[in-house]
Amino acid sequence: MSKGDEPYRDALDAAVRHTHEWLGSQPTRHVGPLATAGELAAVFGGPMPDQGMPAAELINFLAASAEPGLMAMPSGRFFGWVIGGTLPAALAADWLVSAWDQNSFLRAATPATAAIEEAAGRWFLDLLGLPGESDVGFVTGATMANFTGLAAARWRILADAGWDVDADGLAGAPAIRCLVGEQRHDSVDLALRYLGLGRPIVVASDEQGRISPAELDCALDRAMMGSDGSSRVPLLVCLQAGNLHSGAFDPFQAAIAVAKAHGAWVHVDGAFGLWAAAVPELSALTTGLNGADSWATDAHKTLNVPYDCGVVAVRDTEALRAAMSINPSYMIRDAGAAADPFQLVPELSRRARGVPVWAALKSLGREGVAAQVRLLMERAAALAGRLLELDGLEVLNEVAYTQVTVAFGDDETTRAVTARIIEDGMVWMSGSRWQGRDVLRISVSNWTTDDGDVEAAVGAVRTALEAVRG
Ligand SMILES: *Cc1c(COP(=O)(O)O)cnc(C)c1O
């Protein structure tokens, strides 16, 4: 006899109650955690219990015990890294994904989640102006989206050079030259490492972190030197939409033209910046973007779906499916049907991560996504403007997107102010290093950040600066 929902009811009701308490506390709570992982180890750990605990009681214990160690990442006053909040529709849809418990790897097995993810993928391409023939895969984050796009690239450029990487591996393969901008995100290097491609060739960037197309041209010429022209040199260029510190975008039109003239595959890491392509008046930042071959982004950053969700799009569907697919006997597939989810991502068994993306896109609509990106940018610009009124504060970047990077004279002062802001807890911002200096980096990535939160942020920086100066 089926047990139905009865055994779940108390635990789920408790979880709903704690969710409302948590979300309700966001506007006023201390943003940073008040307990360390070390301190909480004893609360959650100790010896493995011999006896179990009823689910609802456990949920109450879990929520109460975790509370002091939670970072208020969904708060409008959280400005750390590039971590976005969560849209109501996306959070609720994510709950359903857990409740449905669909292992979404085969279209025929889980048709609803497959159809939802396919719709989300089509909307994603349309919204961002990417080639409609591309495949879209939903992965855990931009690191895996980079990995997936670059795996497809590796497959294709080796195939073009007459090498079957699936059969023969990398030993003895034609050497792939990977070119990246000086200020690419480290996860690109990590993805290249996972793929056995080693350390990339670094191309100079300007002071905001934009790759130089002229330098890229020279570097590609050098990478091709020594080739006798009898086979193609496998070349891979990684560009970036949205620099972590400045928010700057690589000059896609020029850089992609140069890369394509050399026959290179072009991959774009647009973890939080790709969404600029949804905003008509930002076309100067993203023109030419759709001339690349693969694109990686996060849905958990600018789009504000819950952790974790990244998106990869690849124009060369043959390369992606070849790089990601397996054909075991237990997977009966419709011949000639659309791709199954497992053919587009590294995972086999998988959560339907695209469902919250579908919910976010449907709840916002085309205009709502553009409005959300605009709002983040406007708050970032307002913050930078207000901060500039403070004595001794420098804004180091051109604030053209969602990032504001500041310094307070010398490194020691900047570090002290950053530590003080975090300790005060009114807002949370991360320290970093950029252009050879310690900096305070402010990322506006949450749809709930409003004028009051901007004021709170300015006030927190002012208070911390005054305290450090004594
Ligand atoms: C955050 C980020 C990544 C890594 O994304 P994850 O979701 O953390 O895997 C890669 N590139 C850029 C530019 C980023 O901002």
Side-chain angles (χ1 to χ4, degrees), residues 82 141-144 146 185 187 240 242 244 269 271-272 298 300-301:
V82 197
T143 302
M144 287 314 289
N146 282 330
H185 191 273
S187 68
Q240 177 167 261
L244 269 187
D269 173 8
F272 65 97
D298 272 316
H300 54 220
K301 291 182 178 170

Side-chain angles (χ1 to χ4, degrees), residues 374-390:
R374 249 179 231 128
L375 183 128
L376 304 179
M377 291 176 52
E378 285 164 12
R379 305 287 187 239
L383 241 169
R386 293 292 316 281
L387 287 174
L388 273 173
E389 294 166 10
L390 302 181

Side-chain angles (χ1 to χ4, degrees), residues 178-189:
C178 304
L179 295 91
V180 300
E182 216 174 338
Q183 294 194 21
R184 79 280 178 196
H185 191 273
D186 288 319
S187 68
V188 169
D189 297 55

Side-chain angles (χ1 to χ4, degrees), residues 188-362:
V188 169
D189 297 55
L190 190 60
L192 294 173
R193 253 164 59 200
Y194 290 161
L195 288 162
L197 299 180
R199 195 170 289 151
I201 299 166
V202 176
V203 179
S205 304
D206 70 13
E207 80 295 342
Q208 294 296 309
R210 292 174 285 242
I211 201 168
S212 154
E215 296 283 343
L216 179 63
D217 198 17
C218 296
L220 283 162
D221 283 344
R222 276 196 302 275
M224 290 180 77
M225 260 168 13
S227 155
D228 61 6
S230 62
S231 65
R232 261 171 84 173
V233 178
L235 294 171
L236 176 48
V237 172
C238 298
L239 301 178
Q240 177 167 261
N243 177 289
L244 269 187
H245 292 97
S246 67
F249 290 63
D250 281 340
F252 294 113
Q253 191 107 49
I256 292 175
V258 162
K260 287 295 163 192
H262 289 81
W265 177 293
V266 180
H267 173 78
V268 178
D269 173 8
F272 65 97
L274 211 63
W275 301 93
V279 188
E281 69 270 22
L282 294 184
S283 62
L285 297 178
T286 57
T287 300
L289 180 73
N290 60 359
D293 298 286
S294 54
W295 302 264
T297 191
D298 272 316
H300 54 220
K301 291 182 178 170
T302 310
L303 186 63
N304 282 201
V305 308
Y307 277 80
D308 47 22
C309 184
V311 191
V312 61
V314 179
R315 184 201 304 263
D316 184 339
T317 57
E318 185 194 6
L320 177 66
R321 295 179 197 185
M324 293 293 140
S325 282
I326 51 169
N327 286 300
S329 56
Y330 59 83
M331 282 199 227
I332 315 291
R333 306 191 49 243
D334 296 347
D340 281 304
F342 82 88
Q343 296 180 288
L344 311 176
V345 297
E347 296 85 5
L348 191 52
S349 292
R350 57 182 294 278
R351 173 183 186 76
R353 286 201 173 74
V355 173
V357 176
W358 177 89
L361 296 179
K362 190 162 172 79

